[in-house]
Amino acid sequence: MAQALLQWLSRQQASKWLLVFDNVDDLDSFDVSKFFPRVPWGDILITSRCKQASRLGIPMEVKTMNEDEAVQLLRRCARQEEACDDALVRRLAEMLGYLPLALDQAGAYVSEQCIDLHEYMELYGESREELLRHKPPRAVWSYEETVFTTWEISYAAVSKSNSL
């Protein structure tokens, strides 16, 4: 399958493409560059928390957001731009470390589950404590605690709704 994709991307008529490699964090056991088309067109985006991944291209660090940006993103993703207490949104954005991915995941969960941000904050607090008790050492699992917790909350909801 990978070879077929590489061949297709290498064709001149398929010259405008974006190939995304997400979470490329284990460079020691996986050589992602084997999957790069060897052509001068198209673009490749690699996301990683591993500093050594910068050797694969031009690095661009994603910074945390400032408080106002984080609040705006959280409100928009949660589809609660007018509906909730500003202090509550700011407190939750701070709990999530102003990290764009954590804010997006939390907002999407709130929107999809039709809950309010206060309910999510309680769920986040409970889940975070539980997850941090069982989280593997940082050397094995390098997610930021906030992103890991927001992802696990969403995963648990999907698992529950799709259980047999």
Side-chain angles (χ1 to χ4, degrees):
M1 194 73 149
Q3 279 306 114
L5 177 62
L6 285 174
Q7 288 174 0
W8 184 84
L9 293 172
S10 297
R11 293 187 187 132
Q12 187 72 32
Q13 64 266 30
S15 63
K16 291 187 178 189
W17 47 259
L18 173 64
L19 187 57
V20 178
F21 294 92
D22 192 22
N23 292 322
V24 179
D25 294 327
D26 186 2
L27 298 172
D28 294 328
S29 61
F30 179 71
D31 182 10
V32 70
S33 66
K34 292 190 317 187
F35 300 98
F36 294 176
R38 307 288 184 218
V39 293
W41 57 80
D43 293 293
I44 299 172
L45 175 67
I46 301 167
T47 67
S48 179
R49 289 170 297 279
C50 179
K51 296 266 187 222
Q52 292 79 14
S54 65
R55 66 180 161 83
L56 298 170
I58 300 168
M60 184 175 128
E61 186 175 346
V62 177
K63 306 265 188 208
T64 59
M65 303 178 101
N66 69 43
E67 183 180 27
D68 290 334
E69 292 170 328
V71 165
Q72 183 180 9
L73 177 62
L74 182 55
R75 283 183 183 277
R76 188 174 44 230
C77 292
R79 295 191 175 126
Q80 297 189 10
E81 295 181 49
E82 306 294 328
C84 52
D85 175 26
D86 191 60
L88 174 75
V89 180
R90 290 183 183 282
R91 196 165 59 246
L92 181 55
E94 181 181 13
M95 286 174 66
L96 297 173
Y98 306 117
L99 293 167
L101 180 57
L103 295 160
D104 178 70
Q105 288 173 337
Y109 183 87
V110 165
S111 176
E112 290 298 316
Q113 298 298 314
C114 299
I115 63 172
D116 63 36
L117 289 173
H118 186 269
E119 287 177 82
Y120 184 84
M121 191 184 292
E122 288 176 2
L123 181 60
Y124 177 83
E126 294 165 10
S127 298
R128 183 176 189 276
E129 287 181 26
E130 175 67 21
L131 289 169
L132 293 179
R133 276 198 296 275
H134 301 290
K135 190 173 97 170
R138 188 169 281 282
V140 176
W141 193 269
S142 60
Y143 280 107
E144 291 290 331
E145 293 169 359
T146 55
V147 174
F148 181 67
T149 305
T150 57
W151 185 88
E152 278 294 317
I153 290 170
S154 297
Y155 181 78
V158 169
S159 294
K160 183 178 177 182
S161 68
N162 291 306
S163 62
L164 297 175

